[in-house]
Amino acid sequence: MNYFSIKELSQSDTAERLGIDNTIPANLEPNAKRLIAELDKIRGAYKRPITINCGYRCKKLNIAVDGSSTSDHLLARAADLKNTPELQELILKMASLGKIDFDQIIIEKPDKN
């Protein structure tokens, strides 16, 4: 875990505001560590900071943000990143070359900056 931490993956402004404990349970830490390892690969290649907008969500937080009941966020297997066109291009290239291991990559509208 060179760039990201388990704590960072569970940080949530919404959870803090609502007083929800969003700590990743011990049984999900292996999932979080695998996700962080893949995110670290992206960050290392990107050579610039990457912001995690949303990582792990406990059930209570997932309900509060109207998340899907089948979301991989509940299993510490998903992270939403602040997207830029350059980051998007890098992730798609790394995925196509097999340099990162993800079940799915959902590309939403990238930020302009």
Side-chain angles (χ1 to χ4, degrees):
M1 294 190 279
N2 297 318
Y3 301 103
F4 297 101
S5 68
I6 288 180
K7 184 177 179 180
E8 185 176 7
L9 198 61
S10 65
Q11 191 284 328
S12 166
D13 292 342
T14 302
E16 287 178 26
R17 183 173 42 81
L18 298 176
I20 298 171
D21 179 5
N22 196 49
T23 304
I24 297 174
N27 67 310
L28 295 181
E29 282 188 14
N31 291 351
K33 288 178 181 177
R34 281 192 294 276
L35 176 58
I36 289 168
E38 297 305 312
L39 293 172
D40 273 351
K41 291 177 194 176
I42 296 167
R43 170 58 179 86
Y46 193 52
K47 300 190 185 336
R48 289 178 279 191
I50 295 173
T51 302
I52 297 175
N53 293 332
C54 176
Y56 171 72
R57 291 193 301 243
C58 66
K59 185 176 181 179
K60 191 172 182 178
L61 178 58
N62 196 57
I63 290 168
V65 300
D66 199 28
S68 168
S69 63
T70 60
S71 172
D72 274 346
H73 289 280
L74 293 161
L75 301 172
R77 297 189 318 199
D80 299 342
L81 307 177
K82 183 175 180 185
N83 190 6
T84 65
E86 295 82 15
L87 180 59
Q88 176 178 311
E89 183 179 326
L90 174 67
I91 290 171
L92 292 173
K93 181 177 180 180
M94 289 179 77
S96 71
L97 295 172
K99 293 187 176 191
I100 52 175
D101 183 25
F102 285 104
D103 290 340
Q104 61 179 322
I105 298 173
I106 300 170
I107 304 292
E108 296 182 4
K109 182 180 173 184
D111 292 341
K112 300 232 181 206
N113 44 357

